[in-house]
């Protein structure tokens, strides 16, 4: 591929930009928010590699991209996105430059959880019963009608951000008001809590087929922030009342219902006593520590694969030959304030540990959820779990070997 032929990466973070540049030198062109670059600790790309612009208007972004590629003599062979918040912009850019990517309608269907649920219910795809509500009274009524635990979440939230499990009508009302305090609109999704084991997976959708890339069991944190994922356990396939053939067919049907016909998708789902209940699907690979976990456990670079899928007219997936069951454990801060230091020396002595990645440096400012779900993420640990102790217990044990000091902010 010519050095002038680039794949656009829209609206990602500075650490991903730095990582992707090292993986795929001279192959990418980044469209980045100036705020991201201003706060970045990493070295900035060359001016030809990165366009800094306000990402709020897709028409303005398209015009600036046109000017940039003309100025530097670039051609475009594809577009990729790694962040939920930037997928709609990526879709508009793809449409403008005739690049392969899901349509704006498909992105909106994925981002709006209420719309996702309606589309899946219309195709008889198993997913929790839910309702888009606009008041705390509606939250109370939904609970009182069903008299079962409920989950409240933003319609367009990412992952476990501002997700609340509620066991009473009053808790539903409180959760509704908490979510609305962090957004400018009144719409919130309330759904029935589904009992089971939660998993996520990455798959490749190719027309009427789907191919599994990875499966991980989600390990929830033993803390008041419901939905917070502490770790991911890499598994060959979920346990329970589920067959791979029927599940992969289900994912094709679910993707088509949302308007997705090709590309890498990340799916969250729950394996119940009766089968599978889908939670969400989004046309990007999983984030957090998952790319590092997949690389260590499967020798597969899913970030580069996402670029290959975007840039190659005919991408042929070859399943990885190796597999090691590993766990990716996130390092979360335990309080608000300024990070003074992280010492991982005791942790590195543990024979289970395969990798420790410290993302933040001393001086980093931390705010805990629900205010901020990014700044408390300090890094991750990849480890080979013992067969004789639960993964949950091992996660807590390994985290106790970290020495973290945070200078709490003065009140």
């Amino acid at each position: 591929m010519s050095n002038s032929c680039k794949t656009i990466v829209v609206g990602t973070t500075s650490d991903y930009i730095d990582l992707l540049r090292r993986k795929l030198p001279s192959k990418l062109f980044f469209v980045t928010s100036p705020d991201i670059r201003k706060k970045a600790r990493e070295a900035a790309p060359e001016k030809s590699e990165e366009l800094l612009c306000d990402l709020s208007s897709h028409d303005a972004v398209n015009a600036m991209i046109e000017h940039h590629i003309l100025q530097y003599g670039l051609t475009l062979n594809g577009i990729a996105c790694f962040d939920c918040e930037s997928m709609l912009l990526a879709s508009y850019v793809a449409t403008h430059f005739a690049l392969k990517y899901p349509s704006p309608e498909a992105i909106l269907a994925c981002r709006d959880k209420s719309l996702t649920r309606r589309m899946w219910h219309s195709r008889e795809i198993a997913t929790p019963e839910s309702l888009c509500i606009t008041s705390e009274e509606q939250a109370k009524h939904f609970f009182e009608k069903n008299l079962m635990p409920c989950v409240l979440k933003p319609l367009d939230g990412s992952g476990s951000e501002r997700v609340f499990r509620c066991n009473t009508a009053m808790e539903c009302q409180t959760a509704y008001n908490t979510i609305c305090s962090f957004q400018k609109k009144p719409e919130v999704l309330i759904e029935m809590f589904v009992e089971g084991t939660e998993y996520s997976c990455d798959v490749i959708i190719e027309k009427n087929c789907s191919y599994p890339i990875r499966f991980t069991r989600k390990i929830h944190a033993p803390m008041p922030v419901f939905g917070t994922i502490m770790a991911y356990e890499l598994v060959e396939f979920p346990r329970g009342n589920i067959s791979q053939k029927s599940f992969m067919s289900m994912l094709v049907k679910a993707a088509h219902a949302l308007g997705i016909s090709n590309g890498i998708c990340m799916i969250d789902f729950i394996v119940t006593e009766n089968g599978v209940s889908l939670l969400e699907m989004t046309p990007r690979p999983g984030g957090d520590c998952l790319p590092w976990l997949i690389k260590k456990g499967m020798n597969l670079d899913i970030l580069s694969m996402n670029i290959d899928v975007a840039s190659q007219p005919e991408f042929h997936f070859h399943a990885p030959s190796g597999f090691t069951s590993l766990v990716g454990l996130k390092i979360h801060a335990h309080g608000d304030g300024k990070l003074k230091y992280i010492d991982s020396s005791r942790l590195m002595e543990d024979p289970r540990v395969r990798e420790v990645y410290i993302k933040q440096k001393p001086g980093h400012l931390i705010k805990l959820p629900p205010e901020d779900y990014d700044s408390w993420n300090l890094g991750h640990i990849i480890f080979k779990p013992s067969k004789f102790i639960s993964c949950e217990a091992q996660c807590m044990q390994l985290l106790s070997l970290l020495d973290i000091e945070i200078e709490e902010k003065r009140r």
Side-chain angles (χ1 to χ4, degrees), residues 190-298:
I190 186 169
E191 66 185 24
M192 300 289 292
F193 174 74
V194 176
E195 194 72 50
T197 303
E198 190 172 355
Y199 291 87
S200 75
C201 67
D202 291 323
V203 303
I204 290 183
I205 303 293
E206 286 185 6
K207 297 180 181 177
N208 294 318
C209 298
S210 65
Y211 304 96
I213 301 173
R214 61 88 192 172
F215 292 96
T216 49
R217 179 176 72 92
K218 293 186 178 185
I219 300 174
H220 288 259
M223 59 179 62
V225 185
F226 171 73
T228 298
I229 304 305
M230 177 171 63
Y232 299 91
E233 180 188 12
L234 197 62
V235 298
E236 292 189 270
F237 191 71
R239 295 179 179 179
N241 186 16
I242 174 176
S243 76
Q244 182 162 331
K245 182 178 180 180
S246 62
F247 181 65
M248 301 312 293
S249 297
M250 181 186 193
L251 294 187
V252 172
K253 187 177 178 181
H256 289 177
L258 300 178
I260 299 171
S261 59
N262 60 70
I264 294 179
C265 287
M266 186 276 295
I267 301 97
D268 288 334
F269 61 99
I270 295 175
V271 178
T272 70
E273 289 183 354
N274 301 318
V276 176
S277 183
L278 298 188
L279 297 178
E280 65 177 281
M281 174 180 281
T282 186
R284 63 166 180 83
D288 280 336
C289 59
L290 286 168
W292 288 265
L293 177 62
I294 295 166
K295 180 64 177 175
K296 281 287 182 182
M298 304 176 69

Side-chain angles (χ1 to χ4, degrees), residues 215-217 232-237 239 293 296-298 322-328 352 354 382-387 391 394:
F215 292 96
T216 49
R217 179 176 72 92
Y232 299 91
E233 180 188 12
L234 197 62
V235 298
E236 292 189 270
F237 191 71
R239 295 179 179 179
L293 177 62
K296 281 287 182 182
M298 304 176 69
F323 179 88
T324 303
S325 182
L326 299 176
V327 174
R352 293 169 293 183
R354 299 290 187 268
I382 307 295
F383 72 93
K384 172 68 175 174
S386 166
K387 297 179 180 179
C391 284
Q394 292 180 73

